[in-house]
Structures are given as structure tokens and as C-alpha cells.
Amino acid sequence: MPGTRKQVGAIGAQTVTISFAGFNRAWAAWTADRLERRGVTVVQQRWDPPVEVPLEESLRDLTLSRGRVLVILSDWYFQLGPRSHEEWNRALREVVAADPDRFAAVCVTTSALPGATSVFAAADLTNVGADEAERRLLVRLDLPTDPLPGSVDARPGIRYPADTPEVWGGVPRRNTRFTGREELLSKAYRALQDAGPGAGVVTLHGMSGVGKTQLAAEYVYRFGSEYDVVWWVPADRRALYRQKLAELAPELGLSTGAEYGERLRAVRDALRRGEPHSHWLLVLDGADEPEHIWDLVPTGPGHVLITSRNPEWSEHNSNLVEVPVYDREESVAFIRRRAPRLTPAEADQLAGALEDLPLLLDQTAGWLNDSDMSVEEYIELLEGGIDQDVVKVSADFPLAFQTAWSILLNKLKDTVPESVDLLRLCSFFAPGSIPVRLLKEMPPGELPEQLSGLMNDPLLWNRAIGQLRQYSVVRLESHESVADEASSGESLYMHRMVHQIIGKDMPERDRQEFIDVVRRALAAADPGRPTDTRLWPAYAEITPHLKWADVLKSTDPEVQNLVLNCLRYMYLSGEYRAGIKLGARAMDAWRELLGEDYSRVWDLRYHYANLLRAVGDYAGTEAIERAAVDHLRAERGPQDLEHLRAASGLAADLRGLGRYDEALNISSWILGAYRDLLGDQDSRTLNAQNNLGTSMRLLGRYEEALELNQRTLEARRRLLRPRHSWTLYSEINYATDLRLLGRYGDALSLQNQSVRVHRLVMGSDNPQTLRAEHNLALCQYRSGERAKAAALFTRVLERSERVLGEDDPLTMMFAASQSFFAREHADIDRARDISEKVVGGYVDMLGEDHPYVAGTRANHALILRNVGERDHAHTLLEEALADMTRAVGENHPWTLGCAINASALRNLVGDPESAAALTDSVITRAVEVLGRTHPLTLSARIAHAADLRGLRELQRADKVETEALGDLAATLGEQHVHTVSARSRNRPYWDFEPQMI
């Protein structure tokens, strides 16, 4: 009988061909998975019929496949081409109705479809769960619906497309007008799937306006069902990227505190381990500067998709997929979907005039469809230009873009003029994500009349937003509700091309008025406490916008205070380079605007000098601070608080320059002044006490440093909080002093705990965390935990090189430690290579006479000794000993350590008498400075015993050795590595460790 359905096997041996629009790939994949579990052979075929081929012919081609054709019906299936409903109805009646047994369908949309689709007798899969959808699919294909065997049903399958991944955040709304790009989507998918664990990184790169972000969003929607976690992160700025990535922690169910650093560390660790989810997709949108964030790209079993204008991502283990402009067919198809009233020929004309640039096609076709203007008239405007007095555009853009934007802006001015005001207001934020909620949170009285209505009238606001969205000028960020448009103004996204052309050209009166509003909005958002790590995400959001709001030209005290707080945040969070750029620009601007002696300029000098000092420019900061000290002392007197703050900076500069006695004198005087003015428990007094302890340590006065730092730590724990960054800093200082005094167990215990808290509170890549980890590695090394120390030394150095750069003072300090560890326990060639770089770096930064140069040269001499270059090593060590003596004096522990090493080389080159005399002298001085049982003194005693044996004074040598071994066992323990080594008569050596200033 006509219309009687046959079993699938009557036509093909259990084979089904799924025909689907690319937009519905997730439905096709799920359907195929459900059928293949039941033994059906499935072929997936994307439906994209050429425009020039009659629709009937394309439908008949489907019947060439084996088995039944299952069509996934959606409005997208019928839009491809695009074709009218009339064309579709005619083709369906002719092809499908004539052979209904070859076709079946499921419907995944509630949108209106061509009437003749009823011939498919489609199973409706909308608004049902996965189990019911599967049952309906099987019934439609005349397949058994019996439950599968447990082993088959338990296999991991593809997620039901109507179910979103368990974790989903930040993803832009799906662009229902997305067109083409099938090859690019497939290429990106294959690259990620074929990558091994930890290497699934793909970068979509291309010029502005080609649709990289839209392509990434479409990838997420098409393939998102294959992931348990999908997280979209703006990556144009490092600080914002870190903040948004940290926000994933609670979504993953990670048990963390509120601190930003703790969440960031937990997220990166969870992604690396693949726990609780191994199938994750992270999208980094707008990552145009890979050198700023590549070290933060997660590794692990998941995938990373990046959008960027920068092809240099290929140097960071990423596959590149270039995103070009549309090809002409894509342009025409897109325009006709965006502007249905245009014919294919008109769409082709428009695409050519707009150079196939997707962003421009989207914006232009949208309003052209609502306009009475013909394509020919529009192209005449493009070619002839428009009245530049109406809307000016920048000459920096291609002509087509300039003129098209002028036309669009005029259209907006005529329909919803408030939308142009909103656009111009947004241009004073950084491009990308724009926190317009900061504007809406301002009191109405602080807004100009022109903007007050826009910000306080929800209907007008939504109308302006709606118009801009309609023409693809902005998009709403994904966390806003589609249904609740009244609340949709928290954050907008503006493309950099749109931002640039809007920002460059507007009436001067509007410019001044709008920029002042944005400045005040940013100032109002200042949390006010940059030392509080819990508030760093807020500063990370604010700082990118300072440049665009031109805050440095403001005379508003609140705006100026915002600049100073942001500089402080950048210093404490380790964003040194960005802080230095801002500080330099601020110095120039404020000197011109406010004058050299304005009080805020002195504040600015202090913050700017801190940032310069952090990267090792001690000579530069000394000049800044000395000028400030001299001026403020003369103008306000020595007890002035700003003078004391500048003097503290000068003392730090002197410590950096190796002028420790001068620094100590200034630090001692400053502490006394603060105590007189503010008392013992003020935070500024404690900072001065901390700085005095640092000066003591650098002079080798370790006991005094320990006593000061212990008092500072205890006071900070009481007055601040245990997790405050300054309290944690005191823990590093105190643990360092314990270690330098040979109290390795106590130092290790404290530093181990402190490192855990540092990682949680400040994040793994914060410079202070790196300092804490470095000191922990030294504690482990001195305590004999060499395997742990080896891993930590390497990890700290690698992260510092990535985050701070190879020439940063911290990086060089870490490299010095890595070098002397590698010399004894790893790779002598690597040790030599690192050591040469460290010595050269310190010479360039600090000059030939600095004690760090002498100390690292002494370390390098030990490497030369180990590779057999004894004469060279001896010469270098004698020079280092003389230089260190001149720099810090003959009784400094650094000089004594150099002397221990020099005595060993004197023995090697055949001068045992001089060697014995030197170690004898070292013992005398070390006992006086450090005590009889300090590790350095004990090393000198063991070395002296070896020198005496070299002189054949065996009885005396045995006596010195026996006493020293007894003291070593009593001090460090019988099984400590130093004790065991000395008992084996391995001659001790000393490693120079550059210290924090």
C-alpha cells in the first residue's frame, strides 16, 4: 500500500544518513551516538546546498546514500542558501512526498517551518528530556526501544544537546545569524581533538573585524556538548584574565577561601589534574599579547581556544588557525540572512563594496534592511563620502569603513540619539568588556542632564542598548538575563574597531563632559585598600580603563587618589612593567598639570620609585628619593611624615646599591622618628622596623635582624591579620633569619606553612609568593631535603622568568640559587651557563664594585674548580675575596664565606700554608661575629682541619676535626647532610645567596 512504512533494513542494512545544518551539529552527534549504540551504521552529512543548484536536485542527492535519510529540522536547515518557504514547499512536495519511506525527521525547533515539512512526520524533540527524546527518535525510525545491556548503556556518551555542560560561564549569546566558516570550525575541532594531553591549544588569529570571537562562540555552541566545563575569559589584559579565571573556582566546587590568589591557584591545579572534570574547554578571547599571559594558559586533559590578532601564539605551543574575511559566497549568504529584502546580486554588490569584512557587513546590512535606501544609493555614499560636518570619522580607517560608520552613526542619531551618547561614553573605557554598571551606580546628581535620563530611565536605556545590539555595535555580556532586559546594563562588549572610530571623533563639548563622568565613575569604584589582596580583583577591573579615561589630566582629588591606589596595587601584585608605564606617564602629566611641589606629586614619586626599585633601577630611584628627601626636609622639617616615607625609600635604594652602613643609619633614625610620632604599634612604625631588620641582615647581623623581625611579625599578626600580605612578608623575613643562623628545622617549618598561605592568598605567580617558595627551597636544601629543593628551585626560576623576565632582580636571585644547586647535584654545564648570566646581569645592573657581583663570582669560581679550571678559579676567587672585603668588610659573613672557598683553591694550586693561615683567621672572626657553632664557623673549622692535614699537622688536625664534628652533631644532628659530609672528610664550601633588600 502507498505510504506503508518499511523497516530500515528493507532499504539499507541498518544504515541511517543524518542530514543536518552545521548549526545543529550537536544534535547530529547525539543522534548518531544513540543510534550507533544499537548497532546502526550512521553517516553524518552536513546540509549546505549550493545556491546555483536547484533545491529539488540537492534533496534527490540525499537519496543516493544507503538506508534512510534522517533530517534534523530547524529553522537553520531551511535558511541555508537562503531559500524562500515557497521554494522549499515546492521541493518537499516533489521529492520527499514522492518517496516518504526514504526520509524521516526529528524537529529541534519551535520556530515556524515551511508548511510542507509535515511530509516528514517529524518526531518533536523540543522541550523533552534525553530519555524521551531517544525514545521518540527510535520510534520514528521503527527501531526497538528496549533497554540496552548495562555494559553498553554505561559507556560514556555525548551529552544531550538541550543539556548545557555542568559548568558554563562567560560565553557570549549565540549569534543566530552566524554564517559559513564550516572549514575553519572543522579545522579547529580536529586540531584540538588530535592534540595530546596538555597540548590542546588552538589560536584563531586574524585582523580586527573578521569575526574571531563569533567563530569561537559558534565553536562553543556546536561542540560544547562534548565538554563538562566551558569557561569564557577575556584575555586582553593579564590582571583581568587572572581575575576571571579565578572566578571558576566556586563553579568547580573547589573548597577555597575568598582570596583571589587562593582561587586562581586552585583553578589552575584542578584543570591540570582534570579533577573534578577532565573534559573542559577554556576560551581566551582577545589575547593579543601572548607574552603577557602565555605562562597562565592552563595545561591538562582539556582544551584551550584562543582568539588573537597575534600569530606569535605559535611560539607558545599553540596550533594556529587563520581567520580570513568571508569568501564572497559567505558574504552574500550572510547579507541575505541579515537583510532579506536584498537580492543575491545586491548582496554581492554590497559585499564587494565592504570588502567582505564580517563586522562591517553585520553592522551595515542590519540597518540597511530597515532603511528605504537602495544598495546602489548606499554604495554611491560609500564612494562619494558624506557631509563630514554631520559625523566626522577618522582617516586612519579604510575608506569603506569610514563612510559606512558615518552612515550608521547618522542613522542612530536620527532614531535613538541616546544610543550615540552611550557609545561615546563607552569609548572612554578600554575596548572589550565595559563595566557600564559603574555608570549606573553613580548618584543621579553627579550626571550631566544629557546622560541622567539615559542612566536613570530603564526604558530609554533598554531602547538605546537594543538599537546598538540590533546593528551589532555592542553585545551584552553573557551573565545578563535575556528575559530581564531591565537588568541587562551591567557589562557591554565593544569591538576595538568600533571603539577606536567612536573614540576619535566626537564634539569637544561631549568629549569633556563624558570623560569626566567616566573618571568619576572609576574613582567611585576604588575600593580604597590596595594592600588587601581580597580587593585585587576590583583593581584588576579598574586599571585597564585609566588610560582611556585619561585620568592623569584630572585635577579631581578622588581621581588622583585612584591613580595612586592603582600604582600601589600594581606594585604589590607584581604588575611592575604596567605600573612603571603608568607611573612614568603620571610623573610627566602631574608635573605639568600640578607643579613639581604639589603634595600629590610627592605621593606619586614614592609609588613610582617603589616600582622602579622592584625591577632593580636602584640608581634611578636613589636620585628620585634623594631629591624628595632634601626638598621635604628643607620645606617641612625632618619629622614630617612624607619626609620620613621618602627617607625610607632612600634607605631601600642604598640597600640595593650595596651601601649598607648608610642604609642602616637612615633606617635606625627613621624607626626612632616613627616611634616618637606614632608609637610602637602603628603600621608605619612596623614597616620601619621591618626595614631596619633588612639592613641588619644585609650587614650580617643575623641575631639582631632575627629579634627585630620576630617583634615585627608578632605585632603584624596582632594588628593586621595573619593572612595580610605584610604579615606574610614578615614570615619570610623571620624564616630567612632563622635559616641564616643555622636553625634549619625552625625555618623550614615556618616557611613551609607560609608558602601554603602565600599561594592561597596572593596567587602562585605573585613575586612575594615566589620569594616565599625560594626561601622554602633554600630551607629544604640546607635541611637535606635535596629532591624537594631541586623541584622547587626549578619551578620558582621558570615562573619568575615567565612572569618577571630574565633580568629582574628576583629572577637573578633565584637563578643564583639554581646555579649553585645544579653545580653540586645536577648539571655542571647548566650551572655554568646560568652562573655566567647571573654574574653578567649583576654587573650590568649594579656595577663591578657591588657585593653581589663579588659573591656570584665566588660561586662561579667553584664551578670552574669542578670542571678542572683550577688556576682560573683560584684567580677569580682571590679577586672576589678582595672585592667582597672592600665592599662589606673583612668580618662580614659573606667575606668569611669567600675566604673558606679561597682557602680550598689555595690548597689546590699548591699553597697549603696560606690556606691554613686563612682558615685559622676565618675561625677567629667567625666565632666573634656568628658564634662557635654557627654553620659557617663549623665549615671553617672543618676546612681548617683539612688544611692542617695538608701541612702534616695530623694531631692538631684531628683535635680540630673531632671538636668540630661534635659541635656539628650537637647543632645540626648526627645524620644531617653537613655532618655526614664532614665525617666523610669532604671539604666544605660556601654558597653566596643574594638577599632581598
Side-chain angles (χ1 to χ4, degrees):
M1 290 178 58
T4 301
R5 287 199 184 123
K6 304 173 187 176
Q7 293 297 317
V8 173
I11 294 175
Q14 294 292 305
T15 298
V16 172
T17 296
I18 301 176
S19 177
F20 65 97
F23 196 82
N24 301 122
R25 184 202 172 279
W27 281 104
W30 175 82
T31 302
D33 178 67
R34 296 295 98 185
L35 295 177
E36 287 171 346
R37 286 169 181 262
R38 294 179 177 270
V40 177
T41 301
V42 176
V43 177
Q44 297 185 48
Q45 184 171 328
R46 184 172 56 83
W47 171 254
D48 191 8
V51 178
E52 64 275 9
V53 176
L55 192 53
E56 293 83 353
E57 187 175 331
S58 295
L59 282 172
R60 286 194 188 94
D61 287 345
L62 289 176
T63 64
L64 299 176
S65 59
R66 294 176 57 207
R68 215 152 183 189
V69 177
L70 177 68
V71 178
I72 296 182
L73 297 180
S74 73
D75 42 349
W76 267 91
Y77 196 87
F78 299 99
Q79 286 178 6
L80 292 171
R83 317 271 188 160
S84 67
H85 277 206
E86 182 181 345
E87 289 178 89
W88 267 103
N89 286 331
R90 185 170 58 248
L92 291 172
R93 293 187 190 108
E94 180 177 332
V95 179
V96 179
D99 192 8
D101 293 329
R102 290 301 308 275
F103 291 90
V106 291
C107 182
V108 296
T109 182
T110 57
S111 300
L113 300 178
T117 54
S118 59
V119 72
F120 284 114
D124 184 6
L125 304 190
T126 62
N127 301 316
V128 297
D131 292 341
E132 175 61 16
E134 182 176 1
R135 189 193 69 78
R136 294 184 182 187
L137 167 68
L138 297 174
V139 168
R140 180 63 188 87
L141 291 173
D142 303 315
L143 292 172
T145 59
D146 301 334
L148 290 169
S151 59
V152 176
D153 198 41
R155 287 197 325 244
I158 292 176
R159 187 187 311 278
Y160 182 53
D163 295 338
T164 58
E166 293 184 38
V167 178
W168 176 275
V171 183
R173 293 191 180 100
R174 193 169 194 178
N175 181 2
T176 56
R177 296 186 295 270
F178 186 86
T179 300
R181 305 303 207 188
E182 298 293 342
E183 184 179 346
L184 294 177
L185 288 165
S186 297
K187 187 175 181 180
Y189 179 78
R190 286 195 303 270
L192 288 174
Q193 296 301 319
D194 293 344
V201 182
V202 165
T203 298
L204 305 174
H205 81 98
M207 70 178 188
S208 291
V210 295
K212 300 182 293 295
T213 297
Q214 294 295 333
L215 182 61
E218 182 60 22
Y219 183 94
V220 167
Y221 285 101
R222 290 206 187 180
F223 302 106
S225 60
E226 299 185 15
Y227 297 95
D228 299 317
V229 177
V230 175
W231 199 252
W232 186 287
V233 183
D236 51 333
R237 299 179 290 273
R238 180 183 176 91
L240 181 60
Y241 168 75
R242 288 160 58 90
Q243 173 201 343
K244 295 298 183 183
L245 187 58
E247 290 174 4
L248 179 55
E251 304 297 328
L252 293 176
L254 303 179
S255 299
T256 67
E259 285 88 352
Y260 147 80
E262 179 179 353
R263 291 186 172 192
L264 180 63
R265 181 203 61 78
V267 166
R268 294 180 65 191
D269 187 56
L271 295 179
R272 178 184 57 79
R273 292 183 290 106
E275 298 174 2
H277 302 290
S278 60
H279 295 94
W280 52 261
L281 174 65
L282 185 68
V283 183
L284 279 54
D285 187 33
D288 293 330
E289 298 182 0
E291 67 276 11
H292 288 178
I293 68 163
W294 76 272
D295 58 300
L296 297 175
V297 176
T299 58
H303 294 155
V304 179
L305 186 63
I306 300 169
T307 71
S308 178
R309 292 179 297 166
N310 194 333
E312 291 180 5
W313 276 105
S314 63
E315 300 174 9
H316 300 290
N317 298 319
S318 174
N319 290 301
L320 292 187
V321 174
E322 183 176 2
V323 182
V325 298
Y326 276 150
D327 63 37
R328 184 53 52 85
E329 286 186 4
E330 289 175 322
S331 294
V332 171
F334 177 80
I335 292 170
R336 294 199 64 209
R337 189 169 297 125
R338 193 77 167 92
R341 77 177 181 87
L342 301 186
T343 66
E346 289 174 326
D348 186 81
Q349 275 185 289
L350 184 61
L354 298 178
E355 302 174 10
D356 297 296
L357 186 66
L359 177 65
L360 197 48
L361 293 176
D362 192 15
Q363 294 166 344
T364 301
W367 80 261
L368 194 58
N369 189 59
D370 299 335
S371 170
D372 295 330
M373 184 180 294
S374 69
V375 172
E376 289 79 6
E377 290 172 329
Y378 182 79
I379 291 175
E380 284 181 16
L381 281 178
L382 286 177
E383 293 173 348
I386 65 168
D387 184 357
Q388 293 295 301
D389 292 332
V390 180
V391 178
K392 295 182 178 179
V393 293
S394 169
D396 295 342
F397 292 90
L399 179 61
F401 193 77
Q402 296 179 51
T403 315
W405 255 101
S406 298
I407 296 169
L408 176 56
L409 289 177
N410 281 330
K411 174 77 172 181
L412 291 170
K413 283 173 68 74
D414 291 340
T415 53
V416 185
E418 293 83 4
S419 63
V420 178
D421 290 339
L422 178 57
L423 268 184
R424 289 173 169 166
L425 201 57
C426 288
S427 72
F428 295 108
F429 290 92
S433 183
I434 297 174
V436 289
R437 73 177 187 284
L438 302 184
L439 298 168
K440 299 189 75 176
E441 290 168 358
M442 294 180 68
E446 295 188 16
L447 291 168
E449 183 178 352
Q450 182 179 0
L451 297 173
S452 182
L454 176 65
M455 295 297 168
N456 297 296
D457 183 341
L459 293 177
L460 188 58
W461 172 265
N462 290 331
R463 185 166 172 244
I465 292 290
Q467 192 77 354
L468 295 176
R469 287 182 61 205
Q470 181 182 348
Y471 297 150
S472 302
V473 178
V474 300
R475 74 166 189 258
L476 298 177
E477 296 287 63
S478 64
H479 58 270
E480 296 139 10
S481 169
V482 177
D484 185 11
E485 291 295 334
S487 66
S488 66
E490 184 172 338
S491 188
L492 301 177
Y493 184 90
M494 180 184 286
H495 193 280
R496 66 180 67 251
M497 290 178 70
V498 176
H499 182 278
Q500 190 174 354
I501 201 165
I502 290 293
K504 282 194 173 183
D505 300 283
M506 72 178 69
E508 188 59 31
R509 180 183 62 82
D510 286 352
R511 176 181 296 278
Q512 292 304 318
E513 193 169 53
F514 291 177
I515 200 171
D516 185 58
V517 169
V518 174
R519 288 169 179 169
R520 283 186 279 125
L522 293 172
D526 181 1
R529 296 198 308 279
T531 58
D532 190 336
T533 57
R534 295 168 297 185
L535 300 176
W536 284 1
Y539 282 107
E541 182 181 42
I542 291 171
T543 51
H545 304 292
L546 301 182
K547 170 186 173 183
W548 300 94
D550 210 5
V551 295
L552 301 181
K553 292 185 179 178
S554 174
T555 57
D556 185 335
E558 291 186 1
V559 175
Q560 293 172 352
N561 199 54
L562 169 67
V563 173
L564 297 175
N565 282 341
C566 286
L567 286 170
R568 185 67 170 163
Y569 152 74
M570 290 173 167
Y571 170 66
L572 294 171
S573 65
E575 302 289 339
Y576 300 143
R577 305 295 173 184
I580 288 170
K581 288 181 182 177
L582 176 61
R585 288 173 37 236
M587 287 292 292
D588 291 340
W590 284 12
R591 280 169 171 163
E592 181 178 347
L593 183 68
L594 307 172
E596 288 279 353
D597 298 333
Y598 188 69
S599 60
R600 288 298 175 90
V601 176
W602 295 113
D603 292 335
L604 175 60
R605 282 190 173 95
Y606 168 75
H607 294 296
Y608 182 46
N610 279 344
L611 288 157
L612 290 174
R613 190 181 304 112
V615 299
D617 186 6
Y618 307 125
T621 53
E622 187 208 6
I624 294 173
E625 299 285 26
R626 194 172 291 282
V629 166
D630 292 345
H631 175 85
L632 292 170
R633 180 189 291 267
E635 289 289 321
R636 306 181 188 180
Q639 299 294 100
D640 176 75
L641 290 176
E642 287 191 15
H643 169 257
L644 292 176
R645 185 178 66 178
S648 296
L650 177 60
D653 302 328
L654 294 171
R655 288 194 294 271
L657 292 169
R659 293 154 62 179
Y660 304 135
D661 288 316
E662 293 178 67
L664 178 69
N665 291 335
I666 294 175
S667 296
S668 299
W669 171 77
I670 290 171
L671 177 58
Y674 272 125
R675 283 173 173 164
D676 292 342
L677 290 170
L678 305 172
D680 285 341
Q681 301 303 302
D682 187 89
S683 63
R684 287 162 289 188
T685 305
L686 295 179
N687 290 346
Q689 189 167 280
N690 172 86
N691 295 340
L692 179 60
T694 301
S695 295
M696 291 287 192
R697 183 190 309 120
L698 288 166
L699 282 167
R701 295 162 62 173
Y702 301 145
E703 288 284 2
E704 294 167 88
L706 178 75
E707 188 271 332
L708 278 172
N709 283 317
Q710 182 177 11
R711 288 189 356 231
T712 305
L713 173 58
E714 292 169 351
R716 281 178 167 170
R717 282 174 172 168
R718 287 194 308 271
L719 296 175
L720 301 173
R721 54 189 171 91
R723 289 190 168 198
H724 194 283
S725 61
W726 290 352
T727 306
L728 297 176
Y729 193 82
S730 284
E731 289 180 352
I732 302 175
N733 283 335
Y734 185 53
T736 299
D737 295 333
L738 289 171
R739 177 174 56 78
L740 292 174
L741 284 167
R743 294 169 58 180
Y744 300 140
D746 294 340
L748 178 61
S749 176
L750 173 60
Q751 193 62 73
N752 198 38
Q753 170 63 23
S754 184
V755 161
R756 286 197 292 269
V757 180
H758 267 90
R759 289 169 177 163
L760 295 175
V761 173
M762 307 191 74
S764 296
D765 292 334
N766 184 275
Q768 186 171 314
T769 303
L770 296 178
R771 287 180 173 184
E773 290 183 332
H774 175 249
N775 192 48
L776 175 59
L778 288 168
C779 292
Q780 291 169 340
Y781 185 32
R782 301 306 178 201
S783 299
E785 297 181 3
R786 305 254 163 116
K788 291 181 180 179
L792 194 51
F793 276 136
T794 300
R795 193 161 68 244
V796 168
L797 179 58
E798 287 176 350
R799 290 214 312 276
S800 186
E801 287 176 340
R802 293 173 186 169
V803 176
L804 302 173
E806 292 186 356
D807 298 329
D808 186 87
L810 275 184
T811 304
M812 289 198 289
M813 183 171 81
F814 302 155
S817 298
Q818 177 73 73
S819 175
F820 64 62
F821 183 89
R823 180 195 72 225
E824 296 300 318
H825 304 286
D827 183 343
I828 192 67
D829 293 327
R830 183 163 185 260
R832 183 170 188 168
D833 181 59
I834 295 174
S835 180
E836 288 171 350
K837 290 179 180 177
V838 169
V839 173
Y842 277 134
V843 170
D844 292 341
M845 179 184 291
L846 305 171
E848 289 280 354
D849 298 330
H850 197 281
Y852 285 11
V853 174
T856 52
R857 279 180 172 156
N859 288 351
H860 192 66
L862 296 180
I863 296 173
L864 297 178
R865 176 203 63 183
N866 285 9
V867 297
E869 299 181 25
R870 295 181 177 182
D871 291 336
H872 186 186
H874 173 241
T875 302
L876 187 60
L877 248 177
E878 293 294 339
E879 291 173 354
L881 175 58
D883 291 342
M884 188 67 84
T885 303
R886 282 192 296 271
V888 295
E890 65 176 5
N891 292 329
H892 194 291
W894 296 346
T895 307
L896 301 177
C898 283
I900 291 173
N901 294 346
S903 68
L905 268 296
R906 291 182 184 183
N907 258 314
L908 284 176
V909 297
D911 189 4
E913 293 83 0
S914 174
L918 182 57
T919 48
D920 186 47
S921 170
V922 168
I923 292 170
T924 302
R925 286 178 281 155
V927 168
E928 179 183 348
V929 173
L930 299 169
R932 178 178 175 81
T933 58
H934 186 278
L936 184 62
T937 309
L938 292 171
S939 293
R941 291 164 63 188
I942 294 294
H944 186 55
D947 292 336
L948 292 174
R949 278 194 299 273
L951 294 174
R952 302 298 184 188
E953 298 184 25
L954 301 182
Q955 186 175 359
R956 187 179 167 200
D958 288 343
K959 181 177 184 298
V960 171
E961 181 181 62
T962 300
E963 292 176 352
L965 287 173
D967 287 342
L968 265 172
T971 304
L972 300 179
E974 287 280 358
Q975 300 305 314
H976 191 277
V977 289
H978 294 343
T979 308
V980 173
S981 179
R983 197 181 297 126
S984 301
R985 290 189 172 174
N986 295 315
R987 188 181 182 99
Y989 54 85
W990 170 82
D991 295 313
F992 172 72
E993 302 170 10
Q995 297 291 332
M996 300 181 293
I997 63 159

